[in-house]
Amino acid sequence: MFKRLDVKIIVSLTMILTAMIAVYGWRIGSRQQSVYVQSLSNNLRVLSHSYADNAANFLVVKDYAGLESQMMNAAHIPEVLSVLVIEPDGNVLCNVVRPSRGEAPHLTYDVRHFPAPRGREPSLGREGDQLVSWAPILAGDHLGWVRMALTLETARDLQHAAWRSSLQIGALWILVGTLLMVLVVRPPLRAIRELSRFAGELQDRKGAQVPVQRGVLEIDSLADALNHSSARLHEAEKRLVAEQERLAVTLQSIGDGVIATDTGCRIVFLNHVAETLTGWKQDEVQGEHLDRVLRIEGGAGDADALRELLSVLEARRTLELPGTRRLRSKNGTDRTVTVNGAPILDAADQLGGMVLVIKDVTEKAEMEEERRVLAHQLAQSQKMEAIGQLAGGVAHDFNNMLGVIIGHAELALLANDLSGQMQDRLREILDAASRSAEITRQLLAFSRQQHAEPKVLDLNETIARMLKMLHRLIGEDIDLSWSPGFELSHVRLDPSQLDQVMANLCVNARDAIAGIGKIEIFTDNVMVGSAERARVGDLAPGAYVRLVVADSGCGMSAEVMERIFEPFYTTKQLGRGTGLGLATVFGIVKQNGGHIEVTSSVGKGSVFTVYFPAVATSSREVTQEKKRPAGGTESVLLVEDEPAIMEIGATILKQLGYRVYPAASPEEAIDISENSKEKIDLLLTDIIMPGMNGRDLSERLLESRPEMKCLFMSGYTSDVIAERGKIGAEMCFLQKPFSVESLALKVREALAS
């Protein structure tokens, strides 16, 4: 019975009318209740403050009996259920209660403590079926609270009465309306019922020809039309299903993400790639707005990107978002993508939505970024290489000239007929040349790695000699403070490597200071025990010399400190740094068995602490360096293409007692070796020479003279020597410019090897 359309219409309209009347009655009752409660609240607020003022007078004079009498009067108001007076800490001074509205109030002393509100502000609110007001008792100081509770039973009764009245009136209207609907609706629905039965049969059979009783022209025409439409609809449905399947397979086969929306920018379709990129499944976001799924970051930002995509629907045009964007998935993963949008238009040129194609270019972007970084690193390396080659070439010629000056000055000092004034002048010349050689060595140390020759050094003396050069590096605006440690232990370290460490640390500190600042350098002795190993990088227990370089610069964050020793990592502006300075310092410290650590915070400067293993001051190297070496009687084949160096080298060797065979070129040296029947004990040759390098020359001569020793010398830097001269660290090597003492020592060392 309830499946019949006329019954459904009548019942539905009756229920709708009933619901509307019920809602109307409820709203009327609620509105009346709200007005009543608001009025009651206003009265309660005034009443509670009035009795709080009265209570203040009684509490000031400590008239508690009068206070109870006053509160009992308040409790006789019909709607009042309780009146409570408490001190700020919650102690109850007076408690008047009424079990119900029809009973008389009475004092009770059962409750001794009641939670008091915080602060001094009054409050008013509902607590269940009661309206409760808290009013502070103020008389200069906060003396306590008056709590008054009113019943809302009258308000509830008022609402129920209004609701019942509305329902009674509504019931009469429902009865009248139902009778009218029965009389008006039922006759025309009989014909509709017959047509609905036919339509139901047609739908169940899906395309079959449904027979109906003929004889009425209108019914016959309607039946023929429906039969024809049923057949056409069945064929169209099969074609549509096939097209949908082909379209779904095609979209799922595309390697890019595809998102289709309707004209309201609500999700209609996501293919598998789009699900992977966004982290959402289609059934999760079907019908949701696009901005929930497509969270684009980068470029112009989320809002601008989505606004641009919406222009596809507004302007009905194809759009490609410029550049690449970051697409954040549901789980927070970021991918680099490009986004294209196009409108969906049907055969009638009607807008049906838009389709977005999202191409994942994360790997390509990472490769491009890596290529850019590598290109930048290559440019920096080539720049450093060019600087190193230029410095090496200049140093070679300059060292040759300094070698001539030093050699002649030292030989002149050996003369016995020199006056004291002449000796002083020669010593000044020798000292100036030695300082020039030291400056050249330091400049080369900053541009490239030198041939490592560790020596026992006093850090205080070595750093003190560098202070003048360090002042030039950091500039006049920065104060350089030097505090040498007392009785500092010695370390074993190549002086050029120490130059690199100090220069890079000071330049790094200078760049961290904006304007005027201070750099502090100090040294001291430290003893590392087992307890300190974890703090200082697992150094072996023992004695160390600590070198500290502190600055008052901008400081570094924890993220930057984690990467400062990485090669090519720099936070400086483009062109201000190569990213190799601190990496070089780290490598030198680790190469010499030490440790480096940094402490810093943003805005509070940085402190670099370097630990070098201490060595005994009675080392044989120190003693050997101070002892003047003796000469010898062996024969030396001296090969040097620079005439001045050839002359001074031969002169020094002859004065030391050696027999010297000078050769101005490798070819001349080969001719001397092949034509001389005398024994040649040592080949002393320059490494870089025209036509043939020193290593190739030594290999050629050793074929006929295998017992001959070799000593190589050069004014070039070690990497140029290694590349062009094929000389390794194991070879005996003499760095130009050389003194009489250093030449004599190296010759004896080579002959003894």
Side-chain angles (χ1 to χ4, degrees):
M1 177 179 177
F2 286 100
K3 293 183 179 180
R4 290 172 52 178
L5 182 59
D6 54 349
V7 175
K8 288 183 177 180
I9 292 176
I10 294 172
V11 172
S12 298
L13 291 177
T14 302
M15 293 179 63
I16 291 172
L17 185 59
T18 303
M20 290 176 62
I21 293 173
V23 170
Y24 174 77
W26 177 82
R27 290 193 61 184
I28 292 298
S30 298
R31 185 176 302 173
Q32 291 181 356
Q33 182 189 35
S34 176
V35 171
Y36 177 80
V37 171
Q38 182 62 40
S39 175
L40 193 63
S41 299
N42 294 335
N43 294 335
L44 177 59
R45 185 179 292 107
V46 174
L47 187 65
S48 60
H49 281 282
S50 174
Y51 279 99
D53 294 339
N54 294 337
N57 297 329
F58 289 109
L59 290 180
V60 169
V61 298
K62 296 184 179 181
D63 183 3
Y64 298 108
L67 176 66
E68 291 179 351
S69 176
Q70 184 71 17
M71 295 305 116
M72 280 292 293
N73 292 335
H76 280 86
I77 298 174
E79 302 297 331
V80 175
L81 291 180
S82 65
V83 180
L84 178 68
V85 182
I86 62 173
E87 294 181 335
D89 58 359
N91 291 327
V92 176
L93 298 177
C94 177
N95 187 11
V96 181
V97 297
R98 174 187 287 169
S100 64
R101 188 169 55 177
E103 299 182 23
H106 63 273
L107 285 167
T108 178
Y109 302 96
D110 296 338
V111 180
R112 296 296 183 182
H113 186 273
F114 197 88
R118 295 182 180 180
R120 299 185 178 185
E121 296 299 322
S123 63
L124 178 66
R126 296 186 63 166
E127 295 182 7
D129 291 336
Q130 297 182 5
L131 189 64
V132 178
S133 170
W134 287 90
I137 304 174
L138 301 174
D141 294 331
H142 183 206
L143 303 181
W145 296 89
V146 171
R147 179 184 183 273
M148 298 189 69
L150 272 64
T151 180
L152 296 176
E153 184 177 352
T154 302
R156 187 172 60 253
D157 293 342
L158 183 63
Q159 181 184 28
H160 291 166
W163 196 2
R164 286 192 299 269
S165 176
S166 299
L167 290 178
Q168 290 172 357
I169 297 173
L172 179 60
W173 280 104
I174 291 171
L175 180 60
V176 174
T178 302
L179 293 175
L180 291 175
M181 284 187 291
V182 169
L183 296 175
V184 174
V185 172
R186 289 189 67 181
L189 289 181
R190 292 192 184 95
I192 297 176
R193 188 162 54 248
E194 297 297 330
L195 292 175
S196 67
R197 184 184 306 110
F198 172 73
E201 293 177 357
L202 179 63
Q203 182 180 9
D204 293 338
R205 295 173 125 182
K206 288 188 177 179
Q209 301 299 303
V210 181
V212 294
Q213 185 177 2
R214 302 290 177 139
V216 179
L217 178 61
E218 291 80 5
I219 296 298
D220 292 344
S221 300
L222 180 60
D224 293 338
L226 288 176
N227 286 335
H228 179 70
S229 299
S230 176
R232 296 290 299 274
L233 181 63
H234 183 59
E235 294 175 1
E237 184 180 8
K238 291 192 296 182
R239 289 195 301 269
L240 179 60
V241 170
E243 288 295 333
Q244 288 178 338
E245 290 178 353
R246 283 195 294 270
L247 178 60
V249 171
T250 302
L251 293 177
Q252 296 295 356
S253 301
I254 294 177
D256 299 331
V258 177
I259 300 178
T261 73
D262 59 13
T263 55
C265 213
R266 291 179 292 270
I267 300 295
V268 175
F269 173 80
L270 278 79
N271 69 348
H272 293 320
V273 178
E275 290 180 342
T276 302
L277 291 175
T278 62
W280 295 92
K281 298 296 183 182
Q282 179 169 343
D283 55 358
E284 295 177 327
V285 294
Q286 187 77 26
E288 296 289 340
H289 198 273
L290 180 63
D291 58 3
R292 182 184 178 191
V293 177
L294 196 63
R295 295 187 292 174
I296 303 176
E297 300 177 355
D302 286 358
D304 292 341
L306 289 175
R307 190 179 301 115
E308 290 183 50
L309 291 176
L310 290 177
S311 68
V312 173
L313 294 173
E314 297 170 358
R316 299 175 61 163
R317 61 182 180 88
T318 301
L319 172 69
E320 179 179 356
L321 291 182
T324 60
R325 306 297 176 106
R326 288 198 316 275
L327 174 62
R328 175 153 295 183
S329 67
K330 177 183 178 182
N331 57 11
T333 304
D334 286 342
R335 305 291 294 179
T336 303
V337 299
T338 60
V339 183
N340 299 333
I344 301 175
L345 302 175
D346 59 16
D349 200 32
Q350 295 296 316
L351 182 66
M354 69 173 172
V355 60
L356 303 177
V357 178
I358 306 170
K359 187 176 185 63
D360 186 1
V361 295
T362 303
E363 287 72 17
K364 180 180 178 181
E366 291 174 351
M367 291 176 62
E368 287 292 329
E369 177 65 18
E370 183 178 359
R371 185 193 63 79
R372 188 190 64 80
V373 172
L374 290 176
H376 177 68
Q377 292 177 356
L378 177 60
Q380 294 289 357
S381 299
Q382 290 173 341
K383 184 190 299 183
M384 295 297 293
E385 180 68 20
I387 294 173
Q389 290 177 355
L390 176 62
V394 173
H396 176 262
D397 296 338
F398 191 58
N399 283 337
N400 281 341
M401 296 303 100
L402 288 177
V404 174
I405 296 172
I406 292 172
H408 282 291
E410 288 186 333
L411 290 177
L413 283 172
L414 296 177
N416 296 324
D417 56 347
L418 293 177
S419 64
Q421 185 179 9
M422 185 60 68
Q423 289 181 355
D424 291 340
R425 290 180 177 178
L426 288 173
R427 289 192 182 94
E428 287 294 330
I429 293 173
L430 186 61
D431 184 56
S434 299
R435 288 199 302 270
S436 299
E438 178 71 15
I439 293 173
T440 305
R441 180 179 62 82
Q442 291 174 351
L443 290 175
L444 290 174
F446 304 150
S447 63
R448 59 177 71 246
Q449 184 179 359
Q450 287 292 90
H451 188 81
E453 294 184 2
K455 298 179 181 178
V456 175
L457 301 177
D458 184 335
L459 283 187
N460 288 345
E461 295 179 359
T462 308
I463 295 175
R465 288 197 299 269
M466 296 180 61
L467 289 179
K468 188 173 183 181
M469 184 190 63
L470 293 177
H471 274 291
R472 294 194 186 100
L473 277 176
I474 64 177
E476 298 179 356
D477 293 339
I478 299 176
D479 180 25
L480 181 63
S481 173
W482 161 235
S483 302
F486 181 69
E487 295 184 354
L488 195 68
S489 300
H490 288 69
V491 297
R492 181 176 174 83
L493 186 67
D494 189 314
S496 65
Q497 291 183 331
L498 181 59
D499 294 341
Q500 286 182 287
V501 170
M502 293 303 302
N504 282 312
L505 289 181
C506 288
V507 168
N508 185 75
R510 177 202 66 189
D511 293 340
I513 298 173
I516 299 175
K518 185 175 184 180
I519 299 176
E520 298 179 87
I521 305 173
F522 66 87
T523 57
D524 61 356
N525 296 321
V526 294
M527 183 65 65
V528 176
S530 57
E532 292 87 2
R533 290 184 65 184
R535 185 179 61 84
V536 292
D538 274 345
L539 284 176
Y544 291 84
V545 175
R546 180 168 57 185
L547 167 64
V548 178
V549 178
D551 65 73
S552 60
C554 59
M556 295 175 285
S557 63
E559 294 77 9
V560 173
M561 284 195 292
E562 291 179 357
R563 301 186 60 190
I564 55 172
F565 296 120
E566 294 181 11
F568 298 104
Y569 176 75
T570 178
T571 58
K572 301 174 184 177
Q573 297 178 356
L574 185 63
R576 290 291 304 274
T578 64
L580 295 173
L582 293 179
T584 301
V585 172
F586 183 84
I588 291 173
V589 172
K590 293 300 181 181
Q591 178 184 351
N592 290 276
H595 172 69
I596 183 171
E597 62 183 15
V598 58
T599 57
S600 179
S601 59
V602 177
K604 296 185 179 180
S606 304
V607 179
F608 286 85
T609 306
V610 182
Y611 297 85
F612 288 116
V615 298
T617 55
S618 60
S619 171
R620 292 175 58 188
E621 297 180 55
V622 178
T623 305
Q624 187 176 6
E625 288 178 3
K626 294 182 180 180
K627 182 179 178 181
R628 183 178 180 83
T633 59
E634 292 87 347
S635 59
V636 179
L637 175 57
L638 176 61
V639 186
E640 171 61 59
D641 60 329
E642 179 64 41
I645 297 295
M646 167 70 76
E647 180 185 353
I648 192 62
T651 303
I652 294 173
L653 291 172
K654 288 176 181 178
Q655 289 202 6
L656 291 172
Y658 297 103
R659 286 179 289 114
V660 181
Y661 300 99
S665 66
E667 293 77 10
E668 186 177 348
I670 294 172
D671 185 63
I672 293 174
S673 176
E674 291 177 350
N675 297 327
S676 176
K677 296 183 180 180
E678 299 292 333
K679 179 182 179 182
I680 299 178
D681 298 295
L682 176 67
L683 170 65
L684 174 56
T685 177
D686 194 5
I687 297 175
I688 309 299
M689 295 181 294
M692 182 182 297
N693 62 56
R695 179 59 183 271
D696 293 339
L697 175 62
S698 67
E699 293 177 351
R700 175 76 175 271
L701 298 183
L702 286 173
E703 292 177 358
S704 58
R705 297 177 182 270
E707 74 285 352
M708 182 179 64
K709 306 296 184 180
C710 297
L711 173 60
F712 301 95
M713 59 181 176
S714 180
Y716 282 106
T717 54
S718 61
D719 54 348
V720 175
I721 296 170
E723 178 182 352
R724 298 170 58 188
K726 302 178 182 179
I727 300 299
E730 73 280 358
M731 299 300 179
C732 195
F733 176 78
L734 174 64
Q735 179 71 52
K736 294 180 182 179
F738 52 79
S739 63
V740 173
E741 182 180 0
S742 62
L743 176 60
L745 281 172
K746 282 296 182 180
V747 168
R748 295 312 311 167
E749 180 183 337
L751 289 170
S753 62

